[in-house]
């Protein structure tokens, strides 16, 4: 009938349009996606997994007219070791909405030039949906180049698996002084990290206490605030390689939910990780962070991201954010994306903070209470009581000749009391670090070994006193002097070295 014939024509027309659209996209004619670089598949959101691709530029600096080779390649052999479609653009690092320069082709059989933003050759895409492992193009710097340019790439493995605006390397123009504060990744607006609102609209942890990252480059800053079903985090600090924070159930390092902002030349990688003990963080293979952004300026690393309060069960090492946790902040060096041990003791919040609770202005310390007591006891023992005990025995024997305390000379009883206090303080101070560490520390250098020597000599001293001859014994003077000489030599040797390392290790921590 006529109605059936019309329906068939409509179906054929729709099929032809859809097939033409699919054909064009599979052939890389994707000018429609130049702006947001999002494939017009219309069936799914971009993948949240870490992009398994490398984006490399053969130069880090350029002058107008220079050519830079840009390479997109597979980074991992896990799973599918190929990609089908791609879109490569160069944009102003200070304004990621501005397309910069033009491209030349190296392999025209798999790549083609596109006209984006009314600029010929301003982007490169695929020519077919064949499997690819690498593509190389040449970017030509224009005469009106901005101070820094960032390459952005969208990659598709299939109709439903693709990554949008993967941030690539940043290249800077020769002879122009630029601050990397203009180098942003996935930032819609250049958010200023500030302490304004701490305790009222967001929770903050800062070191030094009360500092403002907006005008203090030495300020280590963490803020977080609940946004619907997620939490927004901001992290800032001066560091050579990385800044990080962790959520912990206690004040001991281990079994913690960790987040790192790692500097890699002129960009920052924002990663979720996990530590199962005093070991290197294990980077998560799942991308759970949203709206990631970063900034580099004057040696300061800043990053922000959003994370859902509750995550699917497969994220075994991630904590739910509707609980209370101790907060750790640390920073240190990094090489080739791998972090090294933090430069200082981590800053640990004084108490558990409710991540999604009312805003608080938190405080913390880089020296745990047990370690502070350890330093205090050792300091009192080896600079006060032991010195007073030695002075009492050396210079006060002639005093109070007719007075006794419990049948002994006054100077002797005072000397014995001071030396006993020294031994007790040393014993308590010796035990505290083992309680804190939960065992022997393999990364504390020579300090724990000297501590063991000090403890041994502190115990030997009263034992030697038990074998000291009576005052009227014929061998009293010789034996006493010999034993005291050995004791003094070893003790002073130990004290000198112990105090040297003590001052290096604890002076900064005792100030917090």
């Amino acid at each position: 009938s006529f109605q059936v014939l019309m329906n068939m024509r409509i179906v054929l027309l729709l099929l032809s349009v859809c097939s033409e659209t699919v054909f064009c996209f599979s052939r890389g004619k994707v000018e429609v996606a130049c702006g947001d670089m999002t494939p017009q598949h219309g069936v799914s959101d971009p993948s949240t997994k870490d992009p398994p691709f490398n984006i490399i530029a053969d130069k880090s600096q350029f002058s107008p007219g220079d050519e830079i080779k840009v390479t997109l390649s597979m980074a991992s052999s896990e799973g599918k070791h190929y990609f089908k479609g791609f879109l490569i653009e160069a944009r102003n690092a200070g304004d990621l909405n501005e397309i910069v320069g033009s491209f030349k082709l190296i392999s025209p059989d798999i790549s083609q030039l596109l006209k984006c933003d009314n600029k010929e050759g301003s982007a490169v895409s695929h020519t077919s949906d064949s499997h690819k492992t690498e593509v190389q193009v040449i970017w030509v710097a224009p005469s009106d180049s901005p101070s820094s340019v960032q390459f952005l790439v969208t990659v598709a493995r299939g109709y439903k698996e693709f990554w949008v605006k993967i941030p690539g390397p940043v290249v800077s123009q020769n002879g122009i002084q630029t601050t990397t504060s203009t180098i942003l990744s996935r930032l819609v607006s250049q958010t200023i990290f500030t302490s304004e609102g701490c305790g009222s609209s967001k929770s903050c942890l800062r070191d030094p206490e009360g500092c403002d990252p907006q005008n203090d480059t030495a300020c280590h800053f963490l803020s977080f605030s609940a946004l619907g079903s997620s939490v927004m985090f901001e992290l800032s600090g001066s560091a050579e390689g990385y800044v990080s924070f962790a959520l912990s159930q206690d004040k001991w390092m281990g079994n913690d939910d960790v987040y790192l902002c790692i500097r890699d030349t002129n960009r920052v990688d924002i990663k979720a990780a996990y530590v199962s003990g005093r070991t290197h963080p294990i980077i998560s293979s799942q991308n759970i962070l949203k709206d990631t952004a970063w900034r580099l300026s004057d040696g300061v690393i800043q990053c922000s991201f959003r994370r859902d309060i509750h995550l699917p069960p497969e994220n075994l090492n991630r904590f739910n954010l509707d609980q209370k946790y101790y907060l750790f902040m640390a920073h240190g060096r990094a090489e080739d994306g791998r972090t090294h041990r933090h430069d200082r003791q981590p800053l640990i919040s004084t108490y558990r903070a409710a991540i999604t609770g009312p805003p608080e202005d938190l405080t913390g310390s880089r020296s745990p209470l047990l370690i502070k007591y350890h330093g205090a006891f050792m300091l009192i023992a080896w600079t006060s009581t032991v010195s007073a005990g030695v002075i009492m025995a050396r210079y006060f024997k002639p005093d109070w000749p007719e007075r006794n305390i419990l049948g002994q000379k006054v100077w002797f009883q005072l000397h014995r009391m001071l030396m006993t206090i020294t031994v007790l303080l040393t014993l308590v101070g010796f035990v505290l670090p083992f309680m804190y560490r939960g065992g022997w520390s393999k990364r504390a250098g020579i300090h724990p070994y000297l501590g063991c020597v000090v403890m041994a000599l502190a115990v030997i001293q009263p034992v030697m006193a038990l074998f000291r001859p009576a005052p009227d014994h014929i061998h009293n003077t010789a034996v006493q002097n010999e034993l005291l000489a050995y004791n003094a030599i070893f003790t002073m040797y130990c004290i000198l070295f112990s105090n040297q390392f003590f001052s290096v290790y604890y002076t900064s921590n005792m100030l917090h």
Side-chain angles (χ1 to χ4, degrees), residues 370-387:
L370 288 179
I371 298 300
K372 286 184 176 180
Y373 280 134
H374 162 74
F377 288 157
M378 288 298 191
L379 190 64
I380 294 171
W382 293 98
T383 62
S384 300
T385 57
V386 70
S387 301

Side-chain angles (χ1 to χ4, degrees), residues 142-156:
S143 58
D144 57 348
S145 293
S147 59
S148 55
V149 174
Q150 182 169 27
F151 296 100
L152 301 178
V153 180
T154 290
V155 184

